[in-house]
Structure formats: structure tokens, C-alpha cells
Amino acid sequence: MGDGAARLFQRVASTPAEDGLEHKQAWIRLALLVLISTYATVASIIVAPGHRIEPWAIAVLSYFACYTPLALGLLYSIRRYPGHYPLRRLFSMVNDYAGLGFAIIVGCKVMLPVYALIMWVTVGNGLRFGSRYMIVAAIMAQITLATITLLTPYWQANPPLVVTLSLTALIVPLYIRTLQRSTEQARRDAEEANTAKSRFLAQASHDLRQPVHAIGLFLNSLTQTGLAPEQRGIVDRIDRSLQGVAELFRSLLDISTLDSGAVTPTLEPVSIRQLFRLLEQQNQVSAEWAGIDLRFVASDRIVLADKALLLTMLQNLVSNAIKYAPRGPVLIGCRPRGDRISIWVIDRGPGIAAEHLPRLFDEFYQIRRLGAADTQGVGLGLSIVQRLGALMGLAADIRSRPGHGTAAAIHGLVAAATVPPVIDRDTSYAVPLHDLRVLLVEDDLDVLDATAHLLRSWGAAVAAWSTVPPRAQPCDLIVTDFDIGGGLTGADCIALHRHQDPPPMAIVMTGHDEMAIEEIIADTGVLILKKPVRPAELRSAIAALRSRQGRLEVV
């Protein structure tokens, strides 16, 4: 048996959507059997002189009565053995055309409307299963029409009718096939453009994060040089603007990562209390700048989620509340919703008009009010929330009334039975670093100098390298960029020092996607920080690592 013939009897890879279409087609086939049988019966009674069922109608009913078990068998086969079996599809097509042709042959003029179903089967197979099946279906339709003509005197006596029906059954599928090819090419072009956009966003975000990261570190160092109040105010304004740029880069990287399909959730027990504490730390400065009273309702609930993804979702919701509802309270809390838990972010801002609510989760959609103050951002935050939620089986929801505020929620969180380890990051600034030996590796000299100055200002002993050291250095903590140059990465630097006893703690700062870096490093004890990293975030990360290893010192 040749390869082509063998494939007819073998399962070919198919998509779940394609399996669903074949299953749906099997149900439609059964429905059409009932429809044609009903039409044949009613038409026979109407046209017959004595209003009785004609012999030809009885023949159609008998044929379809025999065909029904076969149709049921095909339905069972599709449900029992899903997938693309070419022989099964060809067998179904042959029997469909045979049944429709038989109905027209025995019913003659009365059953002529069944020709519409021949067209439906031809086009339907092509639209469901692709151009190849369209061609095969068109050929089978021509064979069916030729057979009807040979066996039906009425068709033989009306050549124009035969030619019209035959050309229609040929031209329509060919035209649809042309449209299919054009649509497929347009889809491929759109996918390539979307991929190029994602690559551009990821690369632009990565390249621009590095200088923003350096500027943030230098600003922090500048604040420690005894500035006058007026100078400190200017530095604070620069820092505020810089954080807006950092948020924009974070959104761009998040959306490009989602477009690439590289995000895979890892569900684990997550403490709502710890999550709220992290949110408070991340947004405290921004809330003070905006005059926001940020309030968190403490909760001891534990949910099953990907902590990083859930934190990103909540961060976007809180950032929106701070951005669009300044000088008012913002409340963050959770409450049960049936057997699930929802987290709410509620503000007392101006609210959102009803016509905007259906489009809020669209990419790049922003509400622009005439005369309203400009706000930073490009309209990606809520789209990211919705897409991350879909990955974890969660639903995002926004409710709003103009003049009364907005309530955003994440629904569908499942309570977890296991309690996650508690890491108290509130003590980050109370942890002395005077006994800490830090190996700092960063190929960007500006970032290297700024980070070394920052760590030394906290009392750490810092050995700064612009590349991976040739041999292991005695250290307690490694702080490294991921891309170091010369074909080396932060993973190489960490691996070089893993033989020490005990192995040093490690923090990787990167502009790449965190999950991709985690897969490369494959060490759950390494913390991944996404640039630009605020000094407070770096200090908290160091405190968290020392707490894990039992090195936390009480001052």
C-alpha cells in the first residue's frame, strides 16, 4: 500500500475546532434526514391526486430509514475517535451525495429543491475542512448531477437546466476556494505583522529599560547627597516621570510576551495578605504623589493562582485607580462569591460612561474627555488583565457609574488548602547589609556604577564586575544582569558559584520576560527582578532572600 493510500486509514493531526466541526456536521446530517423525509412526505401528499403518499416518497423514506443507522454510526465514530480520518470523511461525503442524488432521481421535479442541499454539502465540506475537500466535494457533486441526468428523463429533456445546475455546482465552490486562499493569505500576513509588532515591542522595551533602570539608580544616589529642599523637589518630579515611563515599558513587555504565547501559569497557594502587602509597597509612592488614600482590607484567605501573574493583574487595576481617580480613597479587598473568591479594587473617581464599558478591555482603547488632563499610558493595562486572567481561568469585570466611581474585580479565584510560606518584606529597610558580601555583575558600566554605589550606601561590601569573573568569588549574594555579553549570562555566573557551601543567594535583574529567564535558570531559589528595578524593590528582594535562608537579623 502506498503512503497516500495508507494515510486514508490513519488519523491525521487535527485541531479541537476541526473536531468540533465534524461533530456538528454529523448532527446536522441527522437533522437533514428528518427534514428531507418530512418534505418528501408532505410534498407527496400535496401533489398526489388522492392526497396519499406516493411510491417514490415511500422509496425515499425507506432509503433514509436505512441511512439513519449509518448516520448514527458516523456520529458515534466521531465522538469515540475524534481526529482527522480522511477515509471517514470521504465515506461520509459519498453517502451524503448518494442519498441526495437518490431523492432527486426518484422524486424528479418534486424533489428538485434538494439540489440546494447538494450545494450546501459541497460548500460546507470545503469551508469546514479546507480547499482539498472543497475540490473533492465539487467533483463528487458533478458525478452526482451526471448520474441524476442519466437516470432522470425530466433532466434529459431539459439540457439548459442541467447545464445551469452543473455550472453552479462548479463555479460556486471554485469561487469560494479563491476567497479561501485570499483569506488565508491575509490571515498569514496579519499573523506575520502581529509577530513583527511583538518582536519590536519586546526589543524596544528591553533596550529602553536599561537606561531607565540606570537613571532610577542614579536618582536614588542623588537624593543621598544632601540636596536642598528645592533640589530634592526637582529630583522627586524627575523620579515621578521616570516611573510613568517604567510602567509603560512594563505594559509593552507584558503584551509582547502574551502575544508570543510564552506565558504558562504555575498555580500555587498565594496569601492574599502577602499580595496586598506587596501591592501597598509598590504603589505607596505613586499614591502619595496622586493624593490617594490607599486602603487595603486585611485578609487571611489563601488562593490558588500564579503569584506573579495575579500580582501583575492587580497592579494594573490599582495603577488605573490611582491614575484616573486622584485625590480620593481607593479600597482593595476580597470577598467570597459562591464557592470562589473575588478581589475588588474600588475608587471614588469620576466614573466611566456606559458606552465605554464594553470596550475597556480592548488593546490601546483609552477614554479621552475634552479638556481632561493628560494621563500616561497607551491603553494596554486592562487588556493585559483580561488575557492573564484567561490563562488562569479567571474573569475580569468592571462596573462604574459616572460621578460615583469605578469597581474593578477579578473573579474565580479558588481557595487553597495549603498555606504558603510567609516572607515579611516590611522589614526590608530594617535589615543591615554591613555583613553582606555582594558580587555585582553588569555589562553596562553606568548601571554597574549606580548599583554598586547603591549597595555600598546600604553598607554592603561590593565586588563589581562587568563580566563573569574567571573564577568563583567569595560572596554571600550575587546580583547579576542576565545578558552579560561575550555569550555569557547571569545563569553562567550563578552556576560558577553553586559549589560554595552554603551557595550564595542570587538575584537576576533583566529586561526580558521573567518566566523565560526562570526556565533557563531552573532554580526556584533565584529571584528574578524585571528592570527598571526601584531601590526599594531591590532592598526588599535582598531581605526576602535572607529571610528564606534564616539570616534575617533583628535591629
Side-chain angles (χ1 to χ4, degrees), residues 210 213 438-445 447-449 451-452 455 462-471 473 475 477-485 488-494 496-497 507-510 531:
Q210 194 79 336
H213 177 65
V438 179
L439 171 63
L440 175 63
V441 182
E442 169 65 64
D443 62 327
D444 187 303
L445 296 182
V447 176
L448 180 68
D449 291 342
T451 309
L455 292 169
V462 181
W465 290 76
S466 61
T467 185
V468 176
R471 62 185 63 87
Q473 305 293 310
C475 60
L477 170 67
I478 299 173
V479 178
T480 177
D481 187 17
F482 184 75
D483 292 316
I484 301 175
L488 299 175
T489 67
D492 299 317
C493 182
I494 295 171
L496 179 65
H497 294 80
I507 295 175
V508 175
M509 297 189 292
T510 179
K531 292 180 179 178

Side-chain angles (χ1 to χ4, degrees), residues 132-406:
R132 293 182 179 179
Y133 283 96
M134 178 80 79
I135 295 172
V136 173
I139 294 173
M140 288 188 179
Q142 294 299 316
I143 294 174
T144 302
L145 295 176
T147 303
I148 294 172
T149 303
L150 289 174
L151 300 178
T152 308
Y154 174 77
W155 282 47
Q156 295 172 7
N158 293 275
L161 173 67
V162 176
V163 172
T164 300
L165 297 182
S166 179
L167 287 177
T168 303
L170 183 64
I171 293 173
V172 171
L174 290 178
Y175 179 65
I176 291 177
R177 181 171 181 267
T178 302
L179 294 179
Q180 277 184 312
R181 296 177 66 178
S182 300
T183 303
E184 181 65 21
Q185 183 60 45
R187 184 187 64 81
R188 285 196 297 266
D189 292 343
E191 288 179 349
E192 290 176 3
N194 188 60
T195 302
K197 178 207 73 174
S198 299
R199 286 198 303 265
F200 169 76
L201 290 177
Q203 190 60 44
S205 175
H206 175 264
D207 292 345
L208 291 173
R209 280 172 180 269
Q210 194 79 336
V212 172
H213 177 65
I215 293 170
L217 296 177
F218 279 122
L219 280 175
N220 184 81
S221 299
L222 187 59
T223 59
Q224 302 176 23
T225 59
L227 298 176
E230 183 179 357
Q231 295 170 324
R232 180 175 291 276
I234 294 174
V235 171
D236 286 343
R237 289 186 179 92
I238 295 173
D239 190 29
R240 188 181 312 180
S241 299
L242 190 66
Q243 294 315 308
V245 175
E247 286 295 327
L248 174 60
F249 291 155
R250 182 172 288 111
S251 294
L252 291 175
L253 185 61
D254 286 342
I255 205 72
S256 63
T257 303
L258 286 168
D259 285 342
S260 70
V263 180
T264 304
T266 301
L267 302 183
E268 60 181 351
V270 177
S271 166
I272 296 294
R273 184 182 296 275
Q274 291 183 32
L275 206 61
F276 284 0
R277 189 172 298 158
L278 291 173
L279 281 172
E280 186 174 12
Q281 291 175 355
Q282 291 179 6
N283 294 280
Q284 187 172 13
V285 175
S286 299
E288 291 175 358
W289 286 340
I292 292 287
D293 180 14
L294 204 58
R295 304 175 186 175
F296 290 85
V297 180
S299 173
D300 292 326
R301 294 183 180 274
I302 309 297
V303 296
L304 196 63
D306 186 300
K307 185 175 182 179
L309 299 187
L310 183 56
L311 183 62
T312 299
M313 294 173 68
L314 290 172
Q315 175 61 38
N316 285 340
L317 295 181
V318 174
S319 294
N320 275 357
I322 293 174
K323 186 186 305 180
Y324 295 107
R327 312 221 171 267
V330 173
L331 181 67
I332 299 96
C334 68
R335 65 185 181 192
R337 190 183 187 193
D339 59 345
R340 302 296 176 96
I341 296 171
S342 299
I343 300 180
W344 290 83
V345 178
I346 304 172
D347 66 60
R348 291 292 181 88
I352 303 169
E355 63 265 24
H356 295 294
L357 292 177
R359 297 196 59 193
L360 287 179
F361 292 99
D362 294 348
E363 288 184 11
F364 305 109
Y365 185 78
Q366 289 183 298
I367 301 172
R368 298 294 188 185
R369 297 184 178 93
L370 185 62
D374 289 336
T375 55
Q376 294 176 331
V378 290
L380 288 173
L382 291 179
S383 174
I384 292 170
V385 169
Q386 185 180 58
R387 293 174 65 174
L388 290 178
L391 290 175
M392 294 186 287
L394 308 177
D397 177 31
I398 290 186
R399 305 173 188 178
S400 185
R401 289 176 57 196
H404 292 79
T406 302

Side-chain angles (χ1 to χ4, degrees), residues 209 250 253-254 510 512 514 528-533 537:
R209 280 172 180 269
R250 182 172 288 111
L253 185 61
D254 286 342
T510 179
H512 292 295
E514 296 164 289
I528 312 294
L529 300 181
K530 191 158 55 178
K531 292 180 179 178
V533 179
E537 186 180 0

